[in-house]
Amino acid sequence: MKKILYFFLVDLIMSALCVAQTPGEANNRYLLPNGWWLSPAGHSIALGDLPLNAAVSPDGKYLAVTHGGVSKPVLMLVDLTNEKVVQSIQLRDSWLGIAFQGKKLFVSGGNQNCVYTFDLDHGELHDSSAIKFADPVPKSTAWAAGLDVYKHTLAVVFRGDSTLRYYDLGNKKILTAKLDGMPYYCKYTRDGILLVSIWGSKKVEAFSSKKLLYNFRTGDHPTEICLSPSGMFAYVANSNDNSVTVFNLETRKVTATVSTALYPDSPEGSTTNSVCATSDGRFMLAANADNNSVAIINVSKPNSPTPVGFIPVGWYPTKVMIVPGKKHDEEGTILVLNGKGERSYANPQHQYIGTLLKGTLSFIDFPIGRESSKYTQQVYANTPYRPSVSKEAGFEPGNPVPNKVGVASPIKYIFYFIKENRTYDQVFGDIKQGNGDTSLVMFGETVTPNLHKLVTSFVLLDNLYADAEVSADGHNWSTAAYATDYVEKSWPSNYGGRGAPYDFEGEEKTAAPTSGYIWDDCAKHGVTLRDYGEFVDSDPDNPGLDRPNQKVLAENFDPAYKGWDLEYSDLDRYKAWEKDFDSLVNIGKLPQFNIIRLPNDHTSGTRKGTLTPQAMVAQNDYALGMFVDKISHSSAWSQSAIFVIEDDAQNGADHVDAHRTEALVLGPFVKRNFVDHTLYSTSSILRTMELILGLPPMSQYDVAANPMFDSFTPSPDTSSYTVVQPLIDLNAKNKAGEYGQNLMKKMNFKVADAVPDRLFNEILWKAIKGTEMPAPRYSIISGGN
């Protein structure tokens, strides 16, 4: 107990000391833009874009690694003795599934709906053949995922159509069984029973050929399955549940559920997504993707497993394995795939954030004694999350933002705007009071006079970062302070142009966090709400109208307000909202929480006949100015706060970090003419709104984030805001022959982020700056794309 208290105090002190820091290296650790630290144990080598899974060759000499990032998928072969990549094979697609049977390697083909096979011979993989299960997308949407091999049978689960398919390696026949939900992983038991984790559920299904034998209950979002060395127990990682389920295969009963989180009863957010067992069966290891750690669990008594410590690893570990030691008393070497590598990066040369974060493979000696305690201490010190929902640092008595849930605030109404994809330097790099780079400005004061007036009149936030990389996870982080492993592991296939769907804004239930979104939080706790365009789809029964795909929103939305549609003016969105706002104010029914999507700063690039990028951003700026003008002249202003955030920062460059983004906080209780250098994130904005509204946090990340105490004052200034008229033509359109126009013809702007962003950013830069975009620099230090 004393040791845990010591770790807690160290963490508390170190967190308080780093409040105003920017992301970067300090004291042999790396501060991520979300406020969490990295200090990976052991040593590592570089891999590719989002390594997802790996398999050790039967002789223990080689590790085959699959990737699932935005870049073209690569199968890598690692020489474990010399700890280096010795072969890289580019694939049309790949996702998760990989297994050795003897010297034969099987690799899931993802959206190619096949399984690649290779022969390992003298330290080199030789392409054998591809087993076709269905046509590639878009003809088929099966989407091959996890796989395993038993004797002469290859089993593969398919995410898109929720099927299990067997391939007889002898007669080459295929059998298909239907699953009760989207699968993730499959694992054969010693007697040939196939266990399948149903990703969007709380269960694992057990099959004998096509026959469903039984199922057993797990935590939410079961992912990887491993077996104990004895073959008696199955361990299942539960990614939405911070836990591992222990299942007795002989009695067919769940014997235990063990928490993998840093503290008991932690909210969602550890993202436990991989498990393995030591060869002697004494310990189980579980990778916590979002906690950047591996939990060590003593399972010598399977009915009462005991967490005994943690190991700090890299950013977003996706796989943990262990290679047995050479001596009988050695536990062996732990191997960890770190999906996002070991740090974040600035992108002043316009490196695309989707390919900027390169994964690594860590080699860690199994810790014992003092080393185990040291590693556990590091994990607690790296983690800003702790169970208390009280935040004292930066809080002064009288602050309108309470430091505890349930304490009253003089702010009654919140207006929360979500915009699209801009970095801080693109918009605010020309403001001398902030930490900006004028050479990276694309939409400065001439284009965005309202944004500039608002942040210089109220608060300039020059150290705020999006928790997300792109819009797919951005709209989840912006509304739930969390993106599930489905979102994090699936969006790269979509953004890489390999045929996966964009289903991350409520369309796919597997993407949803267990705790729900902020509107669910409001509904559970009696906070009235209204949705304008967030998580909405076109209504097939009413052409021209949108309808939310979430039950709570469907009962609390404005049907006249359009969601994502770049051909629809943000000024028309303002008009629709204004009409609804006036009617609600007039009857005294203005909701406490109002969420408003304002997407057109994304722009349509240089497409012929559409508004120029500058005109679209200026229109977006003018619309936001009108929103603030209207609210500030209303009877609600004296009790209001306005928050504005970009869902992500993917469409531009920033000299501090590729996640740094444009954000605003406005209102009578917001300080005037102030620059707030505190490290904030998307989750900080959610945490601040929750405290004001009396809502409990939704995940570990809004609990851990710094509330925006420093931006607020107990002395209100109720003077209103007057919108600044546009300084450029809002109706200016792209002319024929604009740079990149022919390429723009092939881009899909009807779906969020369906365009190739690196190319899109290059075209925007040339169209606005009139010069070639600086080529990205590649190095071990700065990453690349």
Side-chain angles (χ1 to χ4, degrees):
M1 180 62 70
K2 289 182 179 179
K3 188 176 291 184
I4 292 175
L5 180 60
Y6 171 74
F7 297 157
F8 177 82
L9 292 174
V10 168
D11 185 27
L12 186 64
I13 293 168
M14 298 186 81
S15 296
L17 291 174
C18 72
V19 165
Q21 287 188 341
T22 56
E25 197 168 352
N27 299 320
N28 298 316
R29 298 193 303 166
Y30 191 90
L31 179 62
L32 293 173
N34 63 3
W36 292 60
W37 290 86
L38 294 178
S39 59
H43 57 281
S44 64
I45 62 173
L47 295 175
D49 185 358
L50 190 62
L52 278 182
N53 202 0
V56 178
S57 61
D59 60 8
K61 294 181 178 180
Y62 296 94
L63 182 75
V65 183
T66 59
H67 296 74
V70 175
S71 305
K72 201 89 170 184
V74 175
L75 171 65
M76 287 185 173
L77 188 67
V78 178
D79 180 334
L80 291 176
T81 301
N82 297 302
E83 298 183 353
K84 67 177 183 179
V85 176
V86 294
Q87 190 177 9
S88 294
I89 302 171
Q90 194 169 88
L91 305 174
R92 286 181 177 271
D93 193 25
S94 180
W95 198 83
L96 190 70
I98 186 168
F100 273 105
Q101 186 184 58
K103 292 187 176 182
K104 181 76 73 174
L105 178 67
F106 299 86
V107 179
S108 167
N111 293 332
Q112 289 295 305
N113 293 318
C114 68
V115 170
Y116 306 104
T117 64
F118 300 88
D119 294 313
L120 178 61
D121 184 33
H122 293 90
E124 187 174 354
L125 290 170
H126 299 275
D127 189 356
S128 177
S129 61
I131 302 169
K132 182 180 177 180
F133 287 85
D135 290 330
V137 295
K139 290 185 178 180
S140 171
T141 55
W143 308 324
L147 60 79
D148 201 10
V149 190
Y150 181 77
K151 294 183 178 180
H152 299 292
T153 304
L154 168 68
V156 188
V157 293
F158 290 79
R159 294 192 297 135
D161 62 2
S162 297
T163 58
L164 160 62
R165 306 187 193 197
Y166 295 97
Y167 180 81
D168 190 306
L169 297 170
N171 62 31
K172 300 182 180 181
K173 290 184 178 180
I174 297 175
L175 293 176
T176 302
K178 188 66 177 174
L179 300 169
D180 187 21
M182 179 185 289
Y184 178 86
Y185 199 82
C186 61
K187 182 70 176 178
Y188 273 111
T189 64
R190 289 187 173 183
D191 57 359
I193 302 301
L194 188 72
L195 305 177
V196 180
S197 58
I198 306 301
W199 204 1
S201 74
K202 296 181 180 180
K203 66 180 176 182
V204 165
E205 296 185 337
F207 284 85
S208 176
S209 187
K210 293 174 62 176
K211 183 180 179 181
L212 175 64
L213 298 179
Y214 61 88
N215 62 64
F216 62 89
R217 191 169 180 81
T218 65
D220 202 6
H221 279 219
T223 51
E224 189 171 292
I225 306 166
C226 81
L227 304 181
S228 65
S230 67
M232 183 180 295
F233 295 94
Y235 304 131
V236 184
N238 304 310
S239 62
N240 275 24
D241 214 39
N242 310 334
S243 71
V244 173
T245 298
V246 180
F247 180 74
N248 188 313
L249 291 163
E250 292 185 354
T251 63
R252 295 185 180 179
K253 291 182 179 180
V254 172
T255 61
T257 298
V258 56
S259 172
T260 55
L262 294 167
Y263 300 96
D265 301 320
S266 295
E268 193 170 5
S270 293
T271 317
T272 310
N273 69 348
S274 179
V275 284
C276 70
T278 56
S279 59
D280 60 10
R282 288 195 301 163
F283 297 101
M284 172 176 63
L285 304 178
N288 291 322
D290 278 300
N291 285 168
N292 312 316
S293 68
V294 167
I296 306 173
I297 300 161
N298 188 322
V299 288
S300 56
K301 296 180 180 178
N303 293 337
S304 55
T306 307
V308 295
F310 296 93
I311 303 171
V313 296
W315 195 1
Y316 206 84
T318 55
K319 178 73 174 181
V320 60
M321 312 177 74
I322 190 160
V323 179
K326 295 180 181 179
K327 298 179 181 179
H328 74 279
D329 60 345
E330 291 180 344
E331 294 293 354
T333 301
I334 299 169
L335 306 177
V336 179
L337 301 184
N338 303 300
K340 297 183 181 182
E342 296 176 9
R343 58 164 293 170
S344 185
Y345 297 93
N347 61 338
Q349 283 80 43
H350 294 258
Q351 302 97 320
Y352 177 52
I353 194 171
T355 54
L356 185 62
L357 305 175
K358 299 299 184 184
T360 60
L361 168 63
S362 291
F363 297 83
I364 307 167
D365 292 334
F366 195 97
I368 57 175
R370 290 185 178 180
E371 189 174 40
S372 179
S373 297
K374 175 185 173 184
Y375 281 162
T376 301
Q377 178 181 349
Q378 287 180 8
V379 171
Y380 277 96
N382 289 344
T383 306
Y385 166 76
R386 56 194 130 278
S388 172
V389 295
S390 173
K391 287 279 188 176
E392 301 296 342
F395 178 80
E396 296 180 1
N399 196 302
V401 179
N403 71 327
K404 295 181 181 179
V405 174
V407 176
S409 169
I411 301 170
K412 182 178 179 180
Y413 305 108
I414 284 180
F415 301 87
Y416 179 37
F417 291 84
I418 301 177
K419 304 207 297 168
E420 291 287 331
N421 303 10
R422 297 286 147 229
T423 68
Y424 177 94
D425 274 340
Q426 277 188 305
V427 182
F428 294 145
D430 57 350
I431 300 178
K432 63 182 181 180
Q433 297 96 320
N435 181 16
D437 185 336
T438 57
S439 70
L440 300 178
V441 176
M442 294 176 67
F443 305 106
E445 188 169 8
T446 302
V447 180
T448 55
N450 283 285
L451 288 175
H452 282 68
K453 180 182 177 182
L454 286 167
V455 297
T456 53
S457 299
F458 288 90
V459 174
L460 176 66
L461 304 165
D462 68 349
N463 198 20
L464 185 147
Y465 304 85
D467 281 318
E469 275 76 54
V470 297
S471 290
D473 56 335
H475 281 276
N476 285 269
W477 279 106
S478 299
T479 57
Y482 182 59
T484 64
D485 66 327
Y486 174 87
V487 175
E488 295 287 3
K489 294 177 179 177
S490 300
W491 72 255
S493 296
N494 173 269
Y495 281 62
R498 300 195 296 278
Y502 186 97
D503 56 3
F504 310 108
E505 296 181 32
E507 297 89 353
E508 170 55 56
K509 71 173 186 177
T510 312
T514 303
S515 299
Y517 304 92
I518 189 167
W519 44 82
D520 298 306
D521 210 6
C522 287
K524 289 175 187 174
H525 297 92
V527 173
T528 54
L529 67 129
R530 190 81 164 161
D531 177 44
Y532 299 90
E534 186 67 13
F535 274 55
V536 301
D537 302 317
S538 296
D539 187 344
D541 298 324
N542 296 285
L545 295 178
D546 292 342
R547 184 170 182 82
N549 53 44
Q550 302 286 295
K551 180 180 179 181
V552 170
L553 294 183
E555 298 168 354
N556 300 278
F557 81 109
D558 178 6
Y561 193 98
K562 280 197 78 67
W564 174 270
D565 184 346
L566 295 179
E567 296 180 4
Y568 188 83
S569 170
D570 279 343
L571 298 176
D572 289 332
R573 288 187 175 90
Y574 167 76
K575 292 176 184 176
W577 170 85
E578 180 185 38
K579 182 177 180 181
D580 194 58
F581 175 79
D582 284 341
S583 67
L584 292 169
V585 170
N586 289 339
I587 61 173
K589 296 290 186 180
L590 183 64
Q592 295 163 268
F593 180 71
N594 302 266
I595 186 168
I596 305 158
R597 190 168 189 169
L598 203 64
N600 284 9
D601 59 335
H602 179 283
T603 86
S604 294
T606 58
R607 289 173 65 207
K608 183 180 177 181
T610 63
L611 295 178
T612 66
Q614 297 95 322
M616 289 197 75
V617 175
Q619 175 202 99
N620 178 269
D621 173 83
Y622 186 40
L624 181 64
M626 292 176 72
F627 274 103
V628 178
D629 186 316
K630 178 70 177 181
I631 296 168
S632 73
H633 285 90
S634 74
S635 58
W637 177 239
S638 63
Q639 296 177 289
S640 293
I642 299 171
F643 295 87
V644 184
I645 185 71
E646 299 282 326
D647 68 316
D648 64 79
Q650 67 174 304
N651 283 157
D654 191 273
H655 82 284
V656 174
D657 191 279
H659 296 82
R660 194 169 67 137
T661 193
E662 164 202 320
L664 300 86
V665 55
L666 317 164
F669 288 95
V670 175
K671 291 177 181 177
R672 300 293 179 120
N673 310 114
F674 181 68
V675 181
D676 191 345
H677 299 297
T678 309
L679 176 66
Y680 295 131
S681 65
T682 305
S683 295
S684 294
I685 287 183
L686 284 164
R687 186 74 182 112
T688 307
M689 295 190 299
E690 290 163 352
L691 287 167
I692 291 170
L693 294 171
L695 298 174
M698 298 175 285
S699 77
Q700 294 176 30
Y701 300 93
D702 45 355
V703 178
N706 291 316
M708 306 176 79
F709 296 133
D710 284 346
S711 288
F712 286 80
T713 174
S715 303
D717 179 348
T718 58
S719 56
S720 58
Y721 176 79
T722 301
V723 66
V724 180
Q725 296 300 307
L727 302 178
I728 67 171
D729 182 4
L730 298 187
N731 297 310
K733 293 187 176 182
N734 293 311
K735 299 176 183 178
E738 294 280 5
Y739 179 77
Q741 202 161 82
N742 288 334
L743 294 171
M744 287 279 172
K745 290 179 182 178
K746 302 176 182 179
M747 295 185 186
N748 178 11
F749 290 87
K750 294 186 181 299
V751 179
D753 288 356
V755 300
D757 288 283
R758 164 69 191 177
L759 178 60
F760 183 62
N761 294 348
E762 181 181 341
I763 293 171
L764 279 183
W765 179 272
K766 179 67 180 289
I768 294 169
K769 292 283 195 176
T771 61
E772 296 294 333
M773 189 170 80
R777 289 186 291 188
Y778 300 84
S779 71
I780 294 175
I781 301 298
S782 64
N785 60 352

